[in-house]
Amino acid sequence: MSKELMEQNIRKAGEAVEKNKERIRKGEMRQRYHFMAPAGWLNDPNGLIYFKGNYHFFYQHNPYSGFWDCMHWGHAISKDLIHWEDLPVALAPSEEYDDYQLGGCFSGSAIEHEGKLYLVYTGVMNTPAGIEQTQCLAYSEDGIHFEKYAGNPVLRAPEGVLKDQFRDPRIWKHENRFYMVCAASFHGRGQAFLYRSADLFHWSFQSILSENRGEWGRMWECPDFFPLGEKYVLTCSPIGVGDHTSICQVGKFDYKTGIFDCESVREMDWGFEYYAPQSFLAPDGRRITTAWANQWQWMPLFKDWGPAYKEGWCGFFNLPREVSFTKDGRISFRPIRELEQLRENPMHVKTLTVSDQREAVQAGDGVSFEMKFAIDLEKTTAGCLELELRSGKGKKTMIEFDLEKGELRVDRTQADGWSVGVSRSSLFLGGKKELDVHIYSDQSSLEIFTDQYTNNQSNNIFAGNDQNGVFFISRSGETVITDLETYGMKQA
Ligand code: FRU
């Protein structure tokens, strides 16, 4: 046990960030209003919480370079979820149970208890018998300086569960008990295990909260579990199911039995970049979730960590989204209203009829902007509406609202010479009068929300500032667009 070693490693990490952050800040691919680390690598959101007057975001972090390696917990605070103050690294590897170069302090969550902020995370160690992942605690009075619990680890993998596939504890309190859901792989099938505790330090297994027979993957990373209205929601990122990055299961839950009765499963976002979502409660009661705007799959394919890595950093969070049910009971994820404070240069057009002639649209500087409109499905005769974004220098990203096939596609095959793929989701248009669309474009990302925020796609693209054209084109007929609003988005 070495408190000094953790302090020393935090200092070292701080020096590395300090040395590089000014150069990195000037990187061309840096986002303008999405949450990022000041330097180095970022993946999963960890320990999201509102504590003593501030939102705290922690994140999986390599402070030394823009690639994944030896995980620390980065840390920042905010009053409004838009403007962030970076704080020193909160957790650094320092103990036998978490000091492994290809491991470290893996993902976890936070809870307030008796005025202290507790973090629960996965310690990853390398033993002669192989890699072992265990659940560990750290705590803090001020929410900035953390101390690891002397009795760590507090939880080890149960019999039959692979020791290197037991991680990402998500903690909460209900009545006078603490609960934790943990990701596990049981004979090659992803599962979520439920534990409970009276004191945070002693945990006992309660139930298998949810499992699958392989259709949803061999491991469920970063499970999250929360009440929403009368229901409960379990979210996770499954491994081994292609580009399905994050799923949500909605159902009923009984604390007495620990049984979660899943009624529906669907994807949270159909884009390529939405991974490891974690939610938290705002003081006004909103359930807000955010995710790592990326996924693991592309890395080995490219053997290259991408354009941001070349600038000394990599990774950002998706825009925080408020989770709720639509009037007809579908789960929806709507960007938080706090984002409106970044709007500038508003533009509004009541009705725009688009033909097969490219129609240019003014939207901020064409790089950092917000755009809202509806497609009038009654007056529209077109088979497909195309929206060409980040267009210039012979490159472009296409959003295709295919009204004939009932499909929304984001095609980034010509986006930037680096990004690949066409992401797809179904558009259910039967009986609808209009289709609502909401788009956020930032320096390196596009997030599209449609159908009352139930059908969303997040994708990253790495285009320069000279790719700033925005155009509509209508195929096989005319498209009638109503209430087109655009705004430039200020730097946060
Ligand atoms: C998900 C994940 C987690 C793990 C962390 C390591 O992206 O693989 O399961 O705790 O990243 O950085």
Side-chain angles (χ1 to χ4, degrees):
M1 173 73 189
S2 164
K3 197 171 160 216
E4 292 70 36
L5 187 56
M6 163 126 129
E7 282 169 3
Q8 195 183 310
N9 287 344
I10 287 178
R11 252 196 322 277
K12 243 173 62 193
E15 282 160 19
V17 169
E18 212 41 51
K19 185 168 138 242
N20 297 324
K21 77 174 189 201
E22 218 21 58
R23 176 179 53 85
I24 289 170
R25 198 174 57 80
K26 299 192 192 115
E28 270 181 51
M29 296 299 144
R30 293 289 279 175
Q31 293 279 60
R32 301 196 197 166
Y33 60 91
H34 281 71
F35 180 85
M36 292 175 294
W41 166 270
L42 162 153
N43 58 291
D44 312 346
N46 292 158
L48 311 181
I49 194 168
Y50 187 82
F51 174 71
K52 295 188 179 164
N54 283 305
Y55 291 101
H56 289 247
F57 274 14
F58 301 86
Y59 51 91
Q60 288 287 279
H61 185 38
N62 172 11
Y64 297 102
S65 182
F67 59 81
W68 188 93
D69 197 21
C70 194
M71 284 294 105
H72 295 55
W73 275 38
H75 187 194
I77 51 169
S78 171
K79 296 267 179 223
D80 62 3
L81 295 168
I82 304 291
H83 302 95
W84 291 92
E85 181 191 334
D86 292 311
L87 291 177
V89 157
L91 296 178
S94 60
E95 313 301 315
E96 204 179 302
Y97 56 78
D98 68 14
D99 198 0
Y100 171 43
Q101 189 67 22
L102 295 178
C105 303
F106 270 21
S107 283
S109 53
I111 194 165
E112 179 173 356
H113 178 51
E114 292 173 343
K116 287 199 187 92
L117 185 57
Y118 284 79
L119 305 181
V120 49
Y121 70 98
T122 300
V124 183
M125 64 180 149
N126 197 7
T127 73
I131 289 170
E132 185 171 357
Q133 301 180 338
T134 61
Q135 316 321 322
C136 305
L137 282 175
Y139 39 77
S140 164
E141 298 275 350
D142 63 3
I144 300 177
H145 305 95
F146 290 86
E147 193 175 321
K148 290 174 185 166
Y149 171 50
N152 278 341
V154 293
L155 185 62
R156 289 178 188 274
E159 277 289 313
V161 168
L162 295 174
K163 287 191 173 31
D164 63 346
Q165 300 292 328
F166 181 58
R167 59 179 175 270
D168 306 341
R170 171 66 164 118
I171 198 171
W172 73 98
K173 193 174 185 190
H174 177 74
E175 292 173 350
N176 50 8
R177 276 223 178 94
F178 298 98
Y179 291 82
M180 182 201 288
V181 56
C182 236
S185 178
F186 191 66
H187 296 283
R189 305 181 308 259
Q191 303 198 329
F193 287 1
L194 182 65
Y195 291 84
R196 59 185 178 189
S197 166
D199 61 3
L200 283 173
F201 302 103
H202 303 89
W203 291 90
S204 56
F205 176 81
Q206 190 183 3
S207 63
I208 295 177
L209 188 64
S210 186
E211 56 189 323
N212 86 109
R213 291 185 299 182
E215 72 278 23
W216 282 114
R218 61 177 184 273
M219 174 69 179
W220 284 355
E221 295 196 307
C222 299
D224 186 14
F225 192 59
F226 54 86
L228 192 67
E230 302 288 287
K231 304 275 166 119
Y232 269 79
V233 180
L234 174 64
T235 69
C236 68
S237 285
I239 298 184
V241 282
D243 53 19
H244 307 291
T245 56
S246 296
I247 55 172
C248 60
Q249 306 180 28
V250 178
K252 293 203 186 71
F253 177 61
D254 181 353
Y255 273 101
K256 278 195 216 79
T257 58
I259 290 172
F260 172 63
D261 187 6
C262 171
E263 294 164 348
S264 70
V265 190
R266 40 153 289 185
E267 288 179 53
M268 291 174 81
D269 188 296
W270 280 262
F272 292 118
E273 267 103 17
Y274 194 84
Y275 204 84
Q278 189 177 103
S279 72
F280 57 99
L281 273 180
D284 61 9
R286 282 175 297 163
R287 172 66 58 176
I288 299 173
T289 185
T290 188
W292 172 39
N294 227 318
Q295 67 154 334
W296 291 114
Q297 212 173 285
W298 53 262
M299 296 178 194
L301 288 178
F302 282 85
K303 294 192 177 56
D304 166 358
W305 301 79
Y309 160 70
K310 296 194 174 73
E311 298 178 358
W313 68 285
C314 190
F316 46 87
F317 287 177
N318 299 91
L319 292 177
R321 302 171 186 183
E322 182 178 346
V323 192
S324 63
F325 289 116
T326 58
K327 282 201 192 79
D328 56 0
R330 293 174 297 153
I331 192 161
S332 70
F333 302 94
R334 184 191 185 117
I336 52 168
R337 55 174 178 264
E338 283 85 342
L339 285 160
E340 289 174 15
Q341 62 187 283
L342 295 176
R343 287 174 172 174
E344 61 181 6
N345 304 326
M347 201 276 297
H348 181 231
V349 178
K350 190 76 203 127
T351 312
L352 177 71
T353 303
V354 186
S355 68
D356 58 0
Q357 301 298 306
R358 258 163 127 231
E359 175 91 34
V361 181
Q362 181 64 44
D365 66 353
V367 174
S368 178
F369 64 88
E370 178 188 353
M371 178 184 242
K372 286 177 98 164
F373 61 91
I375 302 175
D376 183 329
L377 296 169
E378 291 180 322
K379 296 200 181 121
T380 292
T381 56
C384 187
L385 173 69
E386 294 179 358
L387 177 54
E388 182 176 326
L389 297 175
R390 301 302 301 277
S391 175
K393 298 268 159 183
K395 301 204 174 83
K396 60 185 179 181
T397 297
M398 300 299 292
I399 304 177
E400 295 161 5
F401 300 90
D402 190 328
L403 307 173
E404 224 159 55
K405 269 198 189 169
E407 190 170 69
L408 170 64
R409 292 184 292 272
V410 180
D411 181 343
R412 54 179 192 183
T413 52
Q414 302 170 73
D416 51 25
W418 191 83
S419 302
V420 291
V422 181
S423 62
R424 293 186 158 81
S425 58
S426 293
L427 285 174
F428 299 103
L429 302 174
K432 285 206 173 76
K433 290 198 167 87
E434 61 168 38
L435 178 71
D436 51 288
V437 180
H438 197 169
I439 296 172
Y440 283 91
S441 168
D442 200 345
Q443 185 72 53
S444 300
S445 64
L446 279 176
E447 287 164 273
I448 328 279
F449 302 86
T450 63
D451 198 2
Q452 297 174 64
Y453 304 92
T454 63
N455 185 348
N456 313 322
Q457 295 194 25
S458 301
N459 289 297
N460 297 343
I461 51 170
F462 296 97
N465 288 344
D466 44 11
Q467 285 182 240
N468 62 353
V470 181
F471 304 95
F472 280 119
I473 311 131
S474 186
R475 304 284 181 201
S476 330
E478 283 182 343
T479 304
V480 178
I481 288 173
T482 58
D483 282 317
L484 170 65
E485 279 172 61
T486 69
Y487 305 89
M489 289 291 278
K490 285 182 251 179
Q491 177 101 31

